[in-house]
Amino acid sequence: RTSCRSSRPAARTRVCSSVSIFVSRITYKLPRVLAPLMESGLLSGMVTKELQANINRFKDLVEQRNRDEKIKN
């Protein structure tokens, strides 16, 4: 059995030994002029790709910092 701790609910993170799970909810306001493009699907793919790219960059940053911390210790 591992001990786990949780942090704030807005950006919930459960840490169990060396594994972290990050749960995030993303919301945004869309300018009215762009709403039809988003509803038709013309922009939704681009927005999804941009969000995924940001998530991937965040993940890479966290993993790199964890590797750097292990090297220091």
Side-chain angles (χ1 to χ4, degrees), residues 24-28 51 55:
S24 178
R25 183 178 301 165
I26 299 170
T27 59
Y28 56 91
L51 288 173
I55 290 168

Side-chain angles (χ1 to χ4, degrees), residues 15-16 23-24 56 60-61 68:
V15 178
C16 303
V23 178
S24 178
N56 292 343
D60 293 343
L61 176 67
D68 293 346

